[in-house]
Short mmCIF file of all heavy atoms in Angstrom, two decimals:
data_model
loop_
_atom_site.label_atom_id
_atom_site.label_comp_id
_atom_site.label_asym_id
_atom_site.label_seq_id
_atom_site.Cartn_x
_atom_site.Cartn_y
_atom_site.Cartn_z
N TYR A 1 -8.27 8.90 -6.98
CA TYR A 1 -8.18 8.16 -5.72
C TYR A 1 -6.82 7.50 -5.55
O TYR A 1 -6.15 7.13 -6.51
CB TYR A 1 -9.26 7.08 -5.68
CG TYR A 1 -10.65 7.57 -5.37
CD1 TYR A 1 -10.95 8.92 -5.27
CD2 TYR A 1 -11.68 6.66 -5.20
CE1 TYR A 1 -12.23 9.35 -5.01
CE2 TYR A 1 -12.97 7.08 -4.93
CZ TYR A 1 -13.24 8.43 -4.84
OH TYR A 1 -14.52 8.85 -4.58
N ARG A 2 -6.45 7.31 -4.28
CA ARG A 2 -5.29 6.52 -3.92
C ARG A 2 -5.74 5.39 -2.99
O ARG A 2 -6.47 5.63 -2.03
CB ARG A 2 -4.22 7.37 -3.22
CG ARG A 2 -2.99 6.58 -2.80
CD ARG A 2 -1.93 7.49 -2.17
NE ARG A 2 -1.38 8.42 -3.15
CZ ARG A 2 -1.50 9.74 -3.08
NH1 ARG A 2 -2.13 10.30 -2.06
NH2 ARG A 2 -0.96 10.51 -4.02
N MET A 3 -5.33 4.18 -3.31
CA MET A 3 -5.65 3.02 -2.50
C MET A 3 -4.45 2.67 -1.64
O MET A 3 -3.33 2.61 -2.14
CB MET A 3 -6.03 1.83 -3.38
CG MET A 3 -7.06 2.14 -4.46
SD MET A 3 -8.64 2.69 -3.78
CE MET A 3 -9.12 1.21 -2.88
N GLY A 4 -4.68 2.44 -0.36
CA GLY A 4 -3.60 2.15 0.56
C GLY A 4 -3.82 0.90 1.37
O GLY A 4 -4.96 0.45 1.56
N TRP A 5 -2.72 0.32 1.81
CA TRP A 5 -2.73 -0.79 2.77
C TRP A 5 -2.06 -0.33 4.06
O TRP A 5 -0.98 0.26 4.03
CB TRP A 5 -2.00 -2.02 2.24
CG TRP A 5 -2.74 -2.78 1.18
CD1 TRP A 5 -2.59 -2.68 -0.16
CD2 TRP A 5 -3.76 -3.77 1.40
NE1 TRP A 5 -3.44 -3.54 -0.80
CE2 TRP A 5 -4.17 -4.22 0.13
CE3 TRP A 5 -4.35 -4.31 2.54
CZ2 TRP A 5 -5.16 -5.20 -0.03
CZ3 TRP A 5 -5.33 -5.27 2.38
CH2 TRP A 5 -5.72 -5.71 1.12
N PHE A 6 -2.73 -0.60 5.17
CA PHE A 6 -2.20 -0.34 6.50
C PHE A 6 -2.24 -1.62 7.31
O PHE A 6 -2.97 -2.55 6.96
CB PHE A 6 -3.02 0.75 7.21
CG PHE A 6 -2.89 2.11 6.59
CD1 PHE A 6 -3.61 2.45 5.46
CD2 PHE A 6 -2.05 3.06 7.15
CE1 PHE A 6 -3.49 3.71 4.89
CE2 PHE A 6 -1.93 4.33 6.60
CZ PHE A 6 -2.65 4.65 5.47
N ARG A 7 -1.48 -1.67 8.38
CA ARG A 7 -1.53 -2.83 9.26
C ARG A 7 -1.41 -2.40 10.71
O ARG A 7 -0.86 -1.35 11.02
CB ARG A 7 -0.42 -3.83 8.92
CG ARG A 7 1.00 -3.32 9.14
CD ARG A 7 2.01 -4.32 8.60
NE ARG A 7 3.38 -3.88 8.81
CZ ARG A 7 4.44 -4.51 8.33
NH1 ARG A 7 4.30 -5.61 7.60
NH2 ARG A 7 5.67 -4.04 8.57
N GLN A 8 -1.96 -3.22 11.59
CA GLN A 8 -1.90 -2.95 13.01
C GLN A 8 -1.56 -4.24 13.75
O GLN A 8 -2.35 -5.19 13.75
CB GLN A 8 -3.22 -2.38 13.52
CG GLN A 8 -3.15 -1.90 14.96
CD GLN A 8 -4.35 -1.04 15.33
OE1 GLN A 8 -5.46 -1.26 14.86
NE2 GLN A 8 -4.11 -0.04 16.17
N ALA A 9 -0.39 -4.25 14.36
CA ALA A 9 0.03 -5.36 15.18
C ALA A 9 -0.49 -5.17 16.60
O ALA A 9 -0.78 -4.04 17.01
CB ALA A 9 1.55 -5.47 15.19
N PRO A 10 -0.60 -6.24 17.38
CA PRO A 10 -1.10 -6.11 18.75
C PRO A 10 -0.30 -5.11 19.56
O PRO A 10 0.93 -5.17 19.60
CB PRO A 10 -0.95 -7.53 19.31
CG PRO A 10 -1.04 -8.41 18.11
CD PRO A 10 -0.35 -7.64 17.01
N GLY A 11 -0.99 -4.17 20.19
CA GLY A 11 -0.34 -3.18 21.04
C GLY A 11 0.38 -2.07 20.30
O GLY A 11 1.06 -1.27 20.94
N LYS A 12 0.26 -2.01 18.98
CA LYS A 12 0.96 -1.00 18.20
C LYS A 12 -0.02 -0.12 17.43
O LYS A 12 -1.18 -0.47 17.25
CB LYS A 12 1.95 -1.66 17.24
CG LYS A 12 3.08 -2.41 17.93
CD LYS A 12 4.11 -2.90 16.93
CE LYS A 12 5.27 -3.58 17.62
NZ LYS A 12 6.29 -4.05 16.66
N ASP A 13 0.49 1.01 16.97
CA ASP A 13 -0.32 1.93 16.19
C ASP A 13 -0.52 1.42 14.78
O ASP A 13 0.22 0.56 14.29
CB ASP A 13 0.33 3.31 16.14
CG ASP A 13 0.34 4.03 17.46
OD1 ASP A 13 -0.53 3.73 18.31
OD2 ASP A 13 1.20 4.91 17.65
N LEU A 14 -1.52 1.96 14.13
CA LEU A 14 -1.76 1.68 12.73
C LEU A 14 -0.55 2.15 11.92
O LEU A 14 -0.09 3.28 12.08
CB LEU A 14 -3.03 2.39 12.28
CG LEU A 14 -3.72 1.90 11.01
CD1 LEU A 14 -4.20 0.47 11.17
CD2 LEU A 14 -4.89 2.82 10.69
N GLU A 15 -0.05 1.30 11.03
CA GLU A 15 1.16 1.56 10.28
C GLU A 15 0.90 1.53 8.78
O GLU A 15 0.29 0.59 8.27
CB GLU A 15 2.23 0.52 10.63
CG GLU A 15 3.53 0.66 9.85
CD GLU A 15 4.46 -0.52 10.03
OE1 GLU A 15 4.00 -1.60 10.45
OE2 GLU A 15 5.67 -0.37 9.75
N PHE A 16 1.39 2.54 8.08
CA PHE A 16 1.31 2.54 6.63
C PHE A 16 2.19 1.44 6.05
O PHE A 16 3.32 1.23 6.50
CB PHE A 16 1.76 3.90 6.08
CG PHE A 16 1.96 3.90 4.59
CD1 PHE A 16 0.87 3.93 3.73
CD2 PHE A 16 3.23 3.86 4.05
CE1 PHE A 16 1.04 3.91 2.36
CE2 PHE A 16 3.43 3.86 2.68
CZ PHE A 16 2.32 3.88 1.83
N VAL A 17 1.68 0.74 5.04
CA VAL A 17 2.42 -0.32 4.38
C VAL A 17 2.73 0.03 2.93
O VAL A 17 3.89 0.05 2.52
CB VAL A 17 1.66 -1.66 4.43
CG1 VAL A 17 2.43 -2.75 3.68
CG2 VAL A 17 1.41 -2.08 5.87
N ALA A 18 1.70 0.31 2.14
CA ALA A 18 1.87 0.58 0.72
C ALA A 18 0.66 1.32 0.19
O ALA A 18 -0.42 1.26 0.78
CB ALA A 18 2.08 -0.73 -0.06
N ALA A 19 0.84 2.00 -0.93
CA ALA A 19 -0.26 2.70 -1.58
C ALA A 19 -0.03 2.74 -3.07
O ALA A 19 1.10 2.62 -3.55
CB ALA A 19 -0.41 4.12 -1.02
N ILE A 20 -1.11 2.92 -3.81
CA ILE A 20 -1.04 3.01 -5.26
C ILE A 20 -2.05 4.04 -5.75
O ILE A 20 -3.18 4.10 -5.27
CB ILE A 20 -1.29 1.63 -5.91
CG1 ILE A 20 -1.08 1.71 -7.43
CG2 ILE A 20 -2.67 1.09 -5.58
CD1 ILE A 20 -1.01 0.33 -8.09
N ASN A 21 -1.61 4.87 -6.68
CA ASN A 21 -2.52 5.81 -7.32
C ASN A 21 -3.37 5.07 -8.35
O ASN A 21 -2.85 4.35 -9.20
CB ASN A 21 -1.75 6.93 -8.02
CG ASN A 21 -1.02 7.83 -7.07
OD1 ASN A 21 -1.26 7.80 -5.87
ND2 ASN A 21 -0.13 8.66 -7.61
N TRP A 22 -4.69 5.23 -8.24
CA TRP A 22 -5.56 4.51 -9.16
C TRP A 22 -5.36 4.94 -10.60
O TRP A 22 -5.40 4.13 -11.51
CB TRP A 22 -7.02 4.70 -8.75
CG TRP A 22 -7.93 3.69 -9.37
CD1 TRP A 22 -8.80 3.87 -10.41
CD2 TRP A 22 -8.03 2.30 -9.00
NE1 TRP A 22 -9.44 2.70 -10.70
CE2 TRP A 22 -9.00 1.71 -9.85
CE3 TRP A 22 -7.42 1.51 -8.03
CZ2 TRP A 22 -9.34 0.37 -9.77
CZ3 TRP A 22 -7.76 0.17 -7.95
CH2 TRP A 22 -8.72 -0.38 -8.80
N GLY A 23 -5.12 6.22 -10.81
CA GLY A 23 -5.03 6.75 -12.16
C GLY A 23 -3.75 6.37 -12.89
O GLY A 23 -3.80 5.80 -13.98
N ASP A 24 -2.59 6.66 -12.31
CA ASP A 24 -1.33 6.45 -13.02
C ASP A 24 -0.52 5.26 -12.52
O ASP A 24 0.53 4.96 -13.09
CB ASP A 24 -0.47 7.72 -13.00
CG ASP A 24 -0.02 8.13 -11.62
OD1 ASP A 24 -0.14 7.32 -10.67
OD2 ASP A 24 0.47 9.27 -11.48
N GLY A 25 -0.96 4.60 -11.46
CA GLY A 25 -0.29 3.40 -10.98
C GLY A 25 0.96 3.63 -10.16
O GLY A 25 1.66 2.66 -9.83
N SER A 26 1.27 4.87 -9.81
CA SER A 26 2.43 5.14 -8.97
C SER A 26 2.29 4.43 -7.64
O SER A 26 1.20 4.38 -7.06
CB SER A 26 2.59 6.64 -8.74
OG SER A 26 2.82 7.31 -9.97
N THR A 27 3.39 3.88 -7.13
CA THR A 27 3.36 3.11 -5.90
C THR A 27 4.27 3.70 -4.84
O THR A 27 5.25 4.38 -5.14
CB THR A 27 3.76 1.65 -6.15
OG1 THR A 27 5.07 1.61 -6.72
CG2 THR A 27 2.78 0.97 -7.10
N TYR A 28 3.94 3.40 -3.59
CA TYR A 28 4.67 3.90 -2.44
C TYR A 28 4.73 2.79 -1.40
O TYR A 28 3.76 2.06 -1.20
CB TYR A 28 3.98 5.13 -1.84
CG TYR A 28 3.54 6.14 -2.87
CD1 TYR A 28 2.30 6.04 -3.49
CD2 TYR A 28 4.38 7.20 -3.23
CE1 TYR A 28 1.90 6.96 -4.45
CE2 TYR A 28 3.98 8.12 -4.18
CZ TYR A 28 2.74 8.00 -4.79
OH TYR A 28 2.35 8.91 -5.73
N TYR A 29 5.88 2.66 -0.71
CA TYR A 29 6.07 1.61 0.27
C TYR A 29 6.78 2.14 1.51
O TYR A 29 7.62 3.04 1.41
CB TYR A 29 6.90 0.46 -0.29
CG TYR A 29 6.31 -0.23 -1.49
CD1 TYR A 29 6.63 0.17 -2.78
CD2 TYR A 29 5.43 -1.29 -1.32
CE1 TYR A 29 6.08 -0.47 -3.87
CE2 TYR A 29 4.88 -1.94 -2.42
CZ TYR A 29 5.21 -1.52 -3.69
OH TYR A 29 4.67 -2.16 -4.78
N THR A 30 6.46 1.56 2.64
CA THR A 30 7.25 1.81 3.82
C THR A 30 8.55 1.01 3.70
O THR A 30 8.61 -0.02 3.04
CB THR A 30 6.48 1.42 5.10
OG1 THR A 30 7.16 1.92 6.24
CG2 THR A 30 6.33 -0.08 5.23
N ASP A 31 9.62 1.51 4.32
CA ASP A 31 10.94 0.94 4.13
C ASP A 31 11.02 -0.55 4.48
O ASP A 31 11.72 -1.32 3.83
CB ASP A 31 11.98 1.71 4.94
CG ASP A 31 12.29 3.06 4.37
OD1 ASP A 31 11.95 3.32 3.19
OD2 ASP A 31 12.90 3.89 5.09
N SER A 32 10.30 -0.96 5.50
CA SER A 32 10.42 -2.32 6.00
C SER A 32 9.89 -3.38 5.03
O SER A 32 10.19 -4.56 5.20
CB SER A 32 9.72 -2.46 7.35
OG SER A 32 8.33 -2.24 7.23
N VAL A 33 9.11 -2.98 4.03
CA VAL A 33 8.54 -3.96 3.10
C VAL A 33 9.08 -3.81 1.69
O VAL A 33 8.74 -4.63 0.82
CB VAL A 33 7.01 -3.91 3.08
CG1 VAL A 33 6.44 -4.01 4.49
CG2 VAL A 33 6.50 -2.65 2.38
N LYS A 34 9.91 -2.83 1.43
CA LYS A 34 10.45 -2.62 0.09
C LYS A 34 11.24 -3.84 -0.36
O LYS A 34 12.06 -4.37 0.38
CB LYS A 34 11.32 -1.38 0.05
CG LYS A 34 10.56 -0.08 0.14
CD LYS A 34 11.49 1.13 0.10
CE LYS A 34 10.71 2.43 0.17
NZ LYS A 34 11.60 3.61 0.21
N GLY A 35 10.98 -4.28 -1.57
CA GLY A 35 11.64 -5.46 -2.10
C GLY A 35 10.95 -6.75 -1.76
O GLY A 35 11.29 -7.80 -2.34
N ARG A 36 10.01 -6.73 -0.84
CA ARG A 36 9.28 -7.93 -0.44
C ARG A 36 7.80 -7.87 -0.81
O ARG A 36 7.21 -8.89 -1.18
CB ARG A 36 9.40 -8.16 1.06
CG ARG A 36 10.83 -8.35 1.55
CD ARG A 36 10.86 -8.81 3.00
NE ARG A 36 10.26 -7.83 3.89
CZ ARG A 36 9.22 -8.07 4.69
NH1 ARG A 36 8.67 -9.28 4.71
NH2 ARG A 36 8.76 -7.12 5.48
N PHE A 37 7.19 -6.70 -0.68
CA PHE A 37 5.77 -6.52 -0.96
C PHE A 37 5.59 -5.76 -2.27
O PHE A 37 6.39 -4.88 -2.61
CB PHE A 37 5.08 -5.73 0.15
CG PHE A 37 4.95 -6.44 1.47
CD1 PHE A 37 5.61 -7.62 1.73
CD2 PHE A 37 4.15 -5.89 2.46
CE1 PHE A 37 5.49 -8.26 2.95
CE2 PHE A 37 4.02 -6.52 3.69
CZ PHE A 37 4.69 -7.70 3.94
N THR A 38 4.51 -6.08 -2.98
CA THR A 38 4.16 -5.38 -4.20
C THR A 38 2.67 -5.06 -4.19
O THR A 38 1.85 -5.95 -4.03
CB THR A 38 4.49 -6.21 -5.45
OG1 THR A 38 5.88 -6.55 -5.46
CG2 THR A 38 4.16 -5.42 -6.72
N ILE A 39 2.35 -3.79 -4.36
CA ILE A 39 0.96 -3.38 -4.47
C ILE A 39 0.61 -3.22 -5.94
O ILE A 39 1.43 -2.75 -6.74
CB ILE A 39 0.68 -2.08 -3.68
CG1 ILE A 39 -0.82 -1.78 -3.63
CG2 ILE A 39 1.46 -0.91 -4.24
CD1 ILE A 39 -1.19 -0.65 -2.67
N SER A 40 -0.59 -3.63 -6.31
CA SER A 40 -1.02 -3.53 -7.70
C SER A 40 -2.53 -3.34 -7.73
O SER A 40 -3.22 -3.45 -6.71
CB SER A 40 -0.62 -4.76 -8.50
OG SER A 40 -1.23 -5.93 -7.99
N ARG A 41 -3.04 -3.06 -8.91
CA ARG A 41 -4.48 -2.85 -9.06
C ARG A 41 -4.97 -3.49 -10.35
O ARG A 41 -4.20 -3.66 -11.30
CB ARG A 41 -4.81 -1.35 -9.07
CG ARG A 41 -4.47 -0.65 -10.40
CD ARG A 41 -4.20 0.81 -10.20
NE ARG A 41 -4.20 1.57 -11.45
CZ ARG A 41 -3.20 1.60 -12.31
NH1 ARG A 41 -2.11 0.86 -12.11
NH2 ARG A 41 -3.27 2.36 -13.40
N ASP A 42 -6.24 -3.85 -10.35
CA ASP A 42 -6.93 -4.32 -11.54
C ASP A 42 -8.12 -3.41 -11.72
O ASP A 42 -9.14 -3.56 -11.04
CB ASP A 42 -7.36 -5.78 -11.39
CG ASP A 42 -7.94 -6.36 -12.66
OD1 ASP A 42 -8.50 -5.59 -13.48
OD2 ASP A 42 -7.85 -7.59 -12.84
N ASN A 43 -7.99 -2.45 -12.61
CA ASN A 43 -9.03 -1.45 -12.77
C ASN A 43 -10.36 -2.06 -13.21
O ASN A 43 -11.42 -1.62 -12.77
CB ASN A 43 -8.59 -0.39 -13.79
CG ASN A 43 -7.33 0.33 -13.39
OD1 ASN A 43 -6.24 -0.24 -13.37
ND2 ASN A 43 -7.46 1.62 -13.05
N ALA A 44 -10.30 -3.07 -14.06
CA ALA A 44 -11.52 -3.69 -14.56
C ALA A 44 -12.29 -4.40 -13.45
O ALA A 44 -13.51 -4.51 -13.52
CB ALA A 44 -11.20 -4.67 -15.69
N LYS A 45 -11.59 -4.88 -12.44
CA LYS A 45 -12.22 -5.61 -11.34
C LYS A 45 -12.42 -4.77 -10.10
O LYS A 45 -12.93 -5.26 -9.09
CB LYS A 45 -11.39 -6.85 -10.99
CG LYS A 45 -11.30 -7.87 -12.10
CD LYS A 45 -10.38 -9.02 -11.73
CE LYS A 45 -10.92 -9.82 -10.57
NZ LYS A 45 -10.06 -11.01 -10.26
#
């Protein structure tokens, strides 16, 4: 599985923000949030 975060501002389309692979922890970000946002997971929880 891959877990993702999306956002939707008023009057705008749904926008990809970040994602993480559950298995290996690889992460992906949209350019506008790189360096500011961090996606992570807690497998036990």
Side-chain angles (χ1 to χ4, degrees):
Y1 283 6
R2 179 177 294 117
M3 311 298 297
W5 286 97
F6 293 80
R7 64 188 181 186
Q8 188 166 35
K12 296 187 177 181
D13 291 336
L14 199 63
E15 177 191 19
F16 169 76
V17 177
I20 185 168
N21 293 346
W22 197 255
D24 64 13
S26 298
T27 58
Y28 314 88
Y29 299 93
T30 192
D31 287 344
S32 64
V33 308
K34 288 180 179 177
R36 300 190 298 121
F37 291 11
T38 303
I39 188 170
S40 62
R41 76 206 194 282
D42 186 333
N43 300 69
K45 296 175 65 176

